[in-house]
Amino acid sequence: MKKRNVKSIQGRQVVPNPIGPECIRVTKVYDWVVLTNRDRNKVQIPEACFAAIEDARHDGNTITATCSEVVGTRSCDFIGAIPANIPTVPGAQIVSLAFHVHIRVQFFCNGEPIPGCNFVVPVSFMDEVILCFPEGTEINCNIFDVQCTVVLNQMLGDMVVLDVTMCKDVQVEAEVKLEVEAKFCGPRPVIPIEEEGFVCPTPRFPQQCPTFFPTLNCDCQGSADFTGEASIIVLEDSLGGPTTGNLDLTALVCDQCTLSGSRIQVTFIDTLGPTPIGTPDADLDQSFTFTANDFNQPTCATDAAGVVTGLTVTGTGVITPAGGVPENATFTLTLTDADPTGDAATLVITGATTSVTIALTELANPGLEVEVGDCDRFPV
């Protein structure tokens, strides 16, 4: 075969082709956060389904259940925004968002579907988050993951509990024109045809938030995880006190050394009197859920050798007491990583009517896992 003279592509269409500034139209991200919600929702079982479940149980059969997201039902609504009143961050707003998804629940008897026990229920989460949201920008939000589990050991009569986790992405965007060197650029002047006419003013882009987004790396990072029985202190309108129940606590602070990689989720189900966990009776139900939605930079603790052994972080979130309404709250989380048996985690939550103190130690609460480490900052 005769060898052809093939020339490589030179990457140019015209000659000469000098490098110079160009103006492009792009969507600029003014702020970007990822939110995670995890909550346990009580769901009504249809009457015919509940009757079939009770009959199957009476006959000694094994009842199981699954839940899953209904494809195509994710949605996000922008509710509104009010000024956040942060003097150093012009344009900061408290933005309210609503996230919705439909969940399909299916019950089985000895592994076989129970007729009439395949139904769909809506699940929604409300979020308030502080964003750099200056005039002229828009909110772009979406749900990128949904996980669901049926908590069968907490069936309350004809109600079943769904443990739903929803991961959301929220961006503040505006269409802008940029030079490739990442500077704003304006339109060129109008070339007059015969005589100079009206000259349109140069468009103004939304004010930036350089002190607000992107954020600095964290100096340290940490995590805590505990699931099991624990004694904590819960006060509602000055009522309550020490109580024991099933506690599920997950905390991530500065995951991958970024403040946006932080989350705290707490679910506490009070043990009411001598009855099983979650069974309602005449006693005061001190169950609650808590989700953190805003974190301040953590304060790191070091030992004599300069090794990071603990951290303290503060912020805000939403606490929802049993039978109550969600209320804004502040929190302080302190983590201590002292192997082999000195791990400790303390979380104090203070709301308008509800306050909680959770103090866990590895000795008193076997299964508590606490990890704290250093973060390498980018060089200055």
PDB file of all heavy atoms in Angstrom, residues 352-370:
ATOM      1  N   ALA A 352     -36.650  27.676  70.200  1.00  0.00           N
ATOM      2  CA  ALA A 352     -37.520  28.630  70.882  1.00  0.00           C
ATOM      3  C   ALA A 352     -38.224  27.999  72.078  1.00  0.00           C
ATOM      4  O   ALA A 352     -38.350  28.616  73.137  1.00  0.00           O
ATOM      5  CB  ALA A 352     -38.538  29.186  69.891  1.00  0.00           C
ATOM      6  N   THR A 353     -38.688  26.745  71.937  1.00  0.00           N
ATOM      7  CA  THR A 353     -39.407  26.078  73.028  1.00  0.00           C
ATOM      8  C   THR A 353     -38.748  24.780  73.453  1.00  0.00           C
ATOM      9  O   THR A 353     -39.102  24.217  74.480  1.00  0.00           O
ATOM     10  CB  THR A 353     -40.855  25.777  72.615  1.00  0.00           C
ATOM     11  OG1 THR A 353     -40.852  24.846  71.512  1.00  0.00           O
ATOM     12  CG2 THR A 353     -41.573  27.048  72.198  1.00  0.00           C
ATOM     13  N   THR A 354     -37.789  24.272  72.658  1.00  0.00           N
ATOM     14  CA  THR A 354     -37.188  22.967  72.909  1.00  0.00           C
ATOM     15  C   THR A 354     -35.676  23.098  73.022  1.00  0.00           C
ATOM     16  O   THR A 354     -35.049  23.778  72.216  1.00  0.00           O
ATOM     17  CB  THR A 354     -37.527  21.988  71.771  1.00  0.00           C
ATOM     18  OG1 THR A 354     -38.943  21.934  71.602  1.00  0.00           O
ATOM     19  CG2 THR A 354     -37.011  20.595  72.091  1.00  0.00           C
ATOM     20  N   SER A 355     -35.096  22.467  74.034  1.00  0.00           N
ATOM     21  CA  SER A 355     -33.644  22.421  74.167  1.00  0.00           C
ATOM     22  C   SER A 355     -33.232  20.982  74.446  1.00  0.00           C
ATOM     23  O   SER A 355     -33.946  20.237  75.137  1.00  0.00           O
ATOM     24  CB  SER A 355     -33.152  23.344  75.283  1.00  0.00           C
ATOM     25  OG  SER A 355     -33.669  22.936  76.539  1.00  0.00           O
ATOM     26  N   VAL A 356     -32.085  20.589  73.888  1.00  0.00           N
ATOM     27  CA  VAL A 356     -31.618  19.207  73.988  1.00  0.00           C
ATOM     28  C   VAL A 356     -30.131  19.221  74.338  1.00  0.00           C
ATOM     29  O   VAL A 356     -29.360  20.025  73.783  1.00  0.00           O
ATOM     30  CB  VAL A 356     -31.834  18.458  72.656  1.00  0.00           C
ATOM     31  CG1 VAL A 356     -31.213  17.064  72.724  1.00  0.00           C
ATOM     32  CG2 VAL A 356     -33.311  18.367  72.330  1.00  0.00           C
ATOM     33  N   THR A 357     -29.730  18.324  75.223  1.00  0.00           N
ATOM     34  CA  THR A 357     -28.318  18.107  75.518  1.00  0.00           C
ATOM     35  C   THR A 357     -28.019  16.620  75.350  1.00  0.00           C
ATOM     36  O   THR A 357     -28.611  15.779  76.024  1.00  0.00           O
ATOM     37  CB  THR A 357     -27.954  18.549  76.948  1.00  0.00           C
ATOM     38  OG1 THR A 357     -28.237  19.943  77.101  1.00  0.00           O
ATOM     39  CG2 THR A 357     -26.478  18.305  77.218  1.00  0.00           C
ATOM     40  N   ILE A 358     -27.118  16.317  74.414  1.00  0.00           N
ATOM     41  CA  ILE A 358     -26.701  14.936  74.152  1.00  0.00           C
ATOM     42  C   ILE A 358     -25.213  14.847  74.480  1.00  0.00           C
ATOM     43  O   ILE A 358     -24.393  15.511  73.852  1.00  0.00           O
ATOM     44  CB  ILE A 358     -26.941  14.539  72.686  1.00  0.00           C
ATOM     45  CG1 ILE A 358     -28.426  14.684  72.320  1.00  0.00           C
ATOM     46  CG2 ILE A 358     -26.464  13.127  72.423  1.00  0.00           C
ATOM     47  CD1 ILE A 358     -28.707  14.480  70.845  1.00  0.00           C
ATOM     48  N   ALA A 359     -24.868  14.058  75.493  1.00  0.00           N
ATOM     49  CA  ALA A 359     -23.471  13.886  75.902  1.00  0.00           C
ATOM     50  C   ALA A 359     -23.143  12.401  75.830  1.00  0.00           C
ATOM     51  O   ALA A 359     -23.619  11.601  76.646  1.00  0.00           O
ATOM     52  CB  ALA A 359     -23.243  14.433  77.313  1.00  0.00           C
ATOM     53  N   LEU A 360     -22.338  12.003  74.842  1.00  0.00           N
ATOM     54  CA  LEU A 360     -22.004  10.606  74.613  1.00  0.00           C
ATOM     55  C   LEU A 360     -20.514  10.379  74.862  1.00  0.00           C
ATOM     56  O   LEU A 360     -19.677  11.216  74.500  1.00  0.00           O
ATOM     57  CB  LEU A 360     -22.333  10.196  73.174  1.00  0.00           C
ATOM     58  CG  LEU A 360     -23.760  10.448  72.684  1.00  0.00           C
ATOM     59  CD1 LEU A 360     -23.879  10.071  71.206  1.00  0.00           C
ATOM     60  CD2 LEU A 360     -24.769   9.664  73.512  1.00  0.00           C
ATOM     61  N   THR A 361     -20.180   9.248  75.482  1.00  0.00           N
ATOM     62  CA  THR A 361     -18.794   8.832  75.641  1.00  0.00           C
ATOM     63  C   THR A 361     -18.682   7.383  75.192  1.00  0.00           C
ATOM     64  O   THR A 361     -19.657   6.617  75.243  1.00  0.00           O
ATOM     65  CB  THR A 361     -18.311   8.951  77.094  1.00  0.00           C
ATOM     66  OG1 THR A 361     -19.078   8.051  77.924  1.00  0.00           O
ATOM     67  CG2 THR A 361     -18.468  10.380  77.597  1.00  0.00           C
ATOM     68  N   GLU A 362     -17.476   7.004  74.761  1.00  0.00           N
ATOM     69  CA  GLU A 362     -17.280   5.654  74.261  1.00  0.00           C
ATOM     70  C   GLU A 362     -17.472   4.613  75.359  1.00  0.00           C
ATOM     71  O   GLU A 362     -17.919   3.493  75.103  1.00  0.00           O
ATOM     72  CB  GLU A 362     -15.885   5.540  73.646  1.00  0.00           C
ATOM     73  CG  GLU A 362     -15.673   4.272  72.827  1.00  0.00           C
ATOM     74  CD  GLU A 362     -14.375   4.305  72.046  1.00  0.00           C
ATOM     75  OE1 GLU A 362     -13.640   5.310  72.147  1.00  0.00           O
ATOM     76  OE2 GLU A 362     -14.086   3.315  71.346  1.00  0.00           O
ATOM     77  N   LEU A 363     -17.148   4.985  76.602  1.00  0.00           N
ATOM     78  CA  LEU A 363     -17.315   4.041  77.703  1.00  0.00           C
ATOM     79  C   LEU A 363     -18.776   3.833  78.049  1.00  0.00           C
ATOM     80  O   LEU A 363     -19.229   2.707  78.270  1.00  0.00           O
ATOM     81  CB  LEU A 363     -16.541   4.538  78.935  1.00  0.00           C
ATOM     82  CG  LEU A 363     -15.007   4.509  78.826  1.00  0.00           C
ATOM     83  CD1 LEU A 363     -14.389   5.114  80.075  1.00  0.00           C
ATOM     84  CD2 LEU A 363     -14.524   3.083  78.614  1.00  0.00           C
ATOM     85  N   ALA A 364     -19.556   4.944  78.104  1.00  0.00           N
ATOM     86  CA  ALA A 364     -20.967   4.841  78.482  1.00  0.00           C
ATOM     87  C   ALA A 364     -21.853   4.440  77.305  1.00  0.00           C
ATOM     88  O   ALA A 364     -22.947   3.911  77.510  1.00  0.00           O
ATOM     89  CB  ALA A 364     -21.445   6.173  79.065  1.00  0.00           C
ATOM     90  N   ASN A 365     -21.395   4.708  76.090  1.00  0.00           N
ATOM     91  CA  ASN A 365     -22.203   4.442  74.888  1.00  0.00           C
ATOM     92  C   ASN A 365     -21.388   3.623  73.898  1.00  0.00           C
ATOM     93  O   ASN A 365     -20.837   4.169  72.919  1.00  0.00           O
ATOM     94  CB  ASN A 365     -22.650   5.755  74.244  1.00  0.00           C
ATOM     95  CG  ASN A 365     -23.349   6.673  75.223  1.00  0.00           C
ATOM     96  OD1 ASN A 365     -22.746   7.613  75.730  1.00  0.00           O
ATOM     97  ND2 ASN A 365     -24.616   6.406  75.501  1.00  0.00           N
ATOM     98  N   PRO A 366     -21.245   2.327  74.120  1.00  0.00           N
ATOM     99  CA  PRO A 366     -20.486   1.480  73.186  1.00  0.00           C
ATOM    100  C   PRO A 366     -21.054   1.608  71.770  1.00  0.00           C
ATOM    101  O   PRO A 366     -22.265   1.662  71.566  1.00  0.00           O
ATOM    102  CB  PRO A 366     -20.693   0.070  73.749  1.00  0.00           C
ATOM    103  CG  PRO A 366     -21.036   0.275  75.190  1.00  0.00           C
ATOM    104  CD  PRO A 366     -21.793   1.562  75.263  1.00  0.00           C
ATOM    105  N   GLY A 367     -20.175   1.660  70.822  1.00  0.00           N
ATOM    106  CA  GLY A 367     -20.601   1.849  69.442  1.00  0.00           C
ATOM    107  C   GLY A 367     -20.392   3.262  68.950  1.00  0.00           C
ATOM    108  O   GLY A 367     -20.488   3.528  67.745  1.00  0.00           O
ATOM    109  N   LEU A 368     -20.100   4.208  69.858  1.00  0.00           N
ATOM    110  CA  LEU A 368     -19.817   5.583  69.442  1.00  0.00           C
ATOM    111  C   LEU A 368     -18.499   5.614  68.664  1.00  0.00           C
ATOM    112  O   LEU A 368     -17.479   5.107  69.121  1.00  0.00           O
ATOM    113  CB  LEU A 368     -19.722   6.495  70.669  1.00  0.00           C
ATOM    114  CG  LEU A 368     -19.257   7.933  70.402  1.00  0.00           C
ATOM    115  CD1 LEU A 368     -20.280   8.684  69.558  1.00  0.00           C
ATOM    116  CD2 LEU A 368     -18.989   8.666  71.708  1.00  0.00           C
ATOM    117  N   GLU A 369     -18.536   6.220  67.480  1.00  0.00           N
ATOM    118  CA  GLU A 369     -17.343   6.363  66.654  1.00  0.00           C
ATOM    119  C   GLU A 369     -17.086   7.853  66.422  1.00  0.00           C
ATOM    120  O   GLU A 369     -17.944   8.570  65.906  1.00  0.00           O
ATOM    121  CB  GLU A 369     -17.519   5.659  65.308  1.00  0.00           C
ATOM    122  CG  GLU A 369     -17.618   4.144  65.396  1.00  0.00           C
ATOM    123  CD  GLU A 369     -16.296   3.493  65.757  1.00  0.00           C
ATOM    124  OE1 GLU A 369     -15.257   4.150  65.583  1.00  0.00           O
ATOM    125  OE2 GLU A 369     -16.319   2.332  66.207  1.00  0.00           O
ATOM    126  N   VAL A 370     -15.910   8.335  66.836  1.00  0.00           N
ATOM    127  CA  VAL A 370     -15.518   9.731  66.640  1.00  0.00           C
ATOM    128  C   VAL A 370     -14.162   9.758  65.946  1.00  0.00           C
ATOM    129  O   VAL A 370     -13.220   9.083  66.387  1.00  0.00           O
ATOM    130  CB  VAL A 370     -15.442  10.499  67.975  1.00  0.00           C
ATOM    131  CG1 VAL A 370     -14.922  11.912  67.740  1.00  0.00           C
ATOM    132  CG2 VAL A 370     -16.812  10.552  68.643  1.00  0.00           C
TER     133      VAL A 370
END
